[in-house]
Amino acid sequence: MTLHQMKIISDIINKTLIYLILSLFGLSMIFPFLWMLSTSLKDPTLIFTSSINLWPSPIIWRNYLEAWNAIPFGRFYVNSTIVAIAVTAGQVVTSSMAAYAFSRLRFPGRDKIFFAYLATMMIPGMVTLIPVFILLKTLNWLDTYKALILPGIFSAYGTFMLRQFFMTLPADLEDAAKIDGCSLWRIYWQIILPLSKPALATLGTFTFLGNWQSFFWPLIVTSSEKMKTLPIGLSYFQDIYTTNWTLLMAASVIVLAPALLIFILNQRFITQGIALTGLKG
Amino acid sequence: MFGKFHSAIIFAGIIAVAAMAGCGKKADSSSQPANPDAVPIRIAFWGAVEEKEIITKTVTDWEKNNPNVKIVLEHIPSGSYTDKVLTEIAGGNPPDIIFCEVNIFVTFFYKDALLDLAPFLAEDKNFDIKDFFPEVVGRFSRDGKILCIPRDTAPFACIYYNKNIFDKFNMPYPKDDWDMNQFLAVSKKLTFDENGKHPDEEGFNEKKIKNYGFWGWTWQNFVYSYGGRVVDDVNKPTKCLLGEQAAIDGVQMFVDLSYKHFVSPKPDSLTNMGMNINQLFTMEKLAMFQSGIWETPNLRKIIGNKFAWDVAMFPKGPGGKRGFGTGGSGYAILKTCKYPKEAWEVVKCLAGSTGQEMLADTGLAQPANRKIAEGKFWAASPKAPLNKKMLNQAVQYVLYDPFHPLWREASDKYIGQQMDLIIHNNIPVKDGLEKIASKINAILEKK
């Protein structure tokens, strides 16, 4: 056996091992999702059996219909979509503008203001919960989209993350634009933003997912059925003492699907964004 | 390429603006022509889908005959109920009527949030609180005030049993007056391993049990049946009695069911099987289990006609002693309510016969109103379990959790943690209970 052949063989062994380990990890990650999918299609009496059986037999499609009809899913879907998209769009716009100012513009007290803003991340949400609630009540905004959206569209975290990213962009690009007579607004719009797509996509995806799953805030500020969001709807399948597993899992699949789609579509950007900024949600 | 990217951002921005513009109007949940002078009454409550429908139907029917009131229902998931309602109270946007479970009630009582309903009861000739089980009314009464009108009661007194399995072994069905010894003997006969051997027989393999005789979760019932108590006085707890011999004997019996008599699945083996008790029972791998009546709707649905089942009363302890932990719930009016008179009428409707009858019919909840509990929707109802009337007897033995502002917290923190060690047989029962007693006493001594 030549040295070359040995190298090839050891390469193959190495790769096999690595792929085996990765597959095992991957399987353990995906198992809960498979269980969810399989439970959502099972007969309620067949969920908990002594041997793990992922293939439902018979397949009960009816679970989805029942879950869909048990709560006003359509309305909750619309609400969740509006809230998640609006908060995401708002956060990407406000955070990127603030981050541009904090990273590129020069004005007195810039860094002090930035750190003060950053410090707000240290205050737990529970502390501001009741003051914000009182504020919304005074404005007569409770149980409206405003209460669901507006408090969420400013984010110290998003500003911080984008500022760090903008600082890595070469200043020469900007200088060149300035020499050509480009305005600040145009630099932000035509140079900074297009260069920051991975960071923006990462922020956007995490904000979207976070809001899509958000439970406590919508629960607190909404009271009518018309304003509720999907995670609140999901919790209706669990009562104090009993849980309707098949319906809960069917409903979970319905709720999870768009979030999964968003993640898959943006996956390339997200991994790039994480690698570039060293941050994740 | 840039154009595409920018138009995506602009599109998102437009949606955001549109969403905000569209939300100028407050969502209005009613489609009927509203009476402009109607008094708004907001009700906060929880409940699974079916229960929610019953409550909604009850109040909408009532609303039709009472156009002077506009009811706003606020359905809240049970897990976050207290948080949400407390936030609303703290934030100055409280509901008018709240649904109260017997322990959540204590929390709201100590927040001084509840309106005394005794004056309404004294005046109202159409509503007699004496129709209700006095034990349940007692829980909701404090210092001569009545702060909550009971809807249902839920003694943890049911032993659900599978008649099929009893028939197979030629055993008589359990009677409500059976005692702990008979109960243990029956449990052993209904437990067998893969060779068909029972726990007391030669060659029985406790690692290969095929069918279990019994499972229960209420260690309190065992404490009470052995003459023990959790505290000296439920209404004014000053001392925790879980460290005393009677309580130790009771919990020891509870633990022995798994580790000495092998009639109950151990907590670990349950986890390994990946099954919950309902599943074990409906798959006919468990002959009896103990719980409250609320399991019924689910069992009816899953068991269907597969096998016959019923409930019997939890067995008497040594010397015929009895005692059951209990749940239950009712409706209270908050002090901040602007229209207490109208709210009182709504509470009467909620705790009134129509809603209680419909709820009783589903099997979910035992009416707190004795007349309904003794009527055709409960005691005389032909639906399984047939022996529901047993629960009307059980109410006299119920023992509520101690009435103390810190009880729920202390119980989660100390009792839950030590009990977990005890039921996993990691520490001796005596040590665990004494530890609980000393921790709880420290809390009770603080004024």
Side-chain angles (χ1 to χ4, degrees), chain A residues 45 48 137 197 219 222 228 235, chain B residues 1 75 77 84 92 274 302:
Chain A
T45 52
F48 298 96
K137 181 190 175 326
K197 272 191 277 178
L219 173 76
T222 63
K228 284 180 178 153
S235 69
Chain B
M1 180 189 172
H75 183 223
K84 159 105 177 161
I302 296 178

Side-chain angles (χ1 to χ4, degrees), chain B residues 167-228:
Chain B
D167 291 345
K168 233 183 263 168
F169 286 90
N170 268 327
M171 307 255 293
Y173 302 138
K175 293 208 175 67
D176 290 338
D177 64 347
W178 61 339
D179 64 24
M180 203 58 83
N181 292 330
Q182 290 166 321
F183 156 77
L184 183 61
V186 169
S187 299
K188 283 181 179 172
K189 283 204 179 123
L190 300 178
T191 304
F192 53 90
D193 66 9
E194 51 184 19
N195 298 320
K197 300 264 190 201
H198 301 278
D200 279 347
E201 282 177 337
E202 191 80 22
F204 170 75
N205 185 349
E206 54 128 331
K207 294 208 166 59
K208 302 274 182 195
I209 296 175
K210 202 167 161 223
N211 270 40
Y212 287 97
F214 173 78
W215 186 85
W217 54 266
T218 314
W219 54 268
Q220 290 94 327
N221 284 8
F222 288 88
V223 170
Y224 302 148
S225 303
Y226 278 78

Side-chain angles (χ1 to χ4, degrees), chain B residues 331-345:
Chain B
Y331 292 95
I333 301 177
L334 294 189
K335 275 184 174 170
T336 41
C337 173
K338 284 198 196 108
Y339 310 101
K341 245 193 188 135
E342 285 78 6
W344 168 248
E345 295 300 321

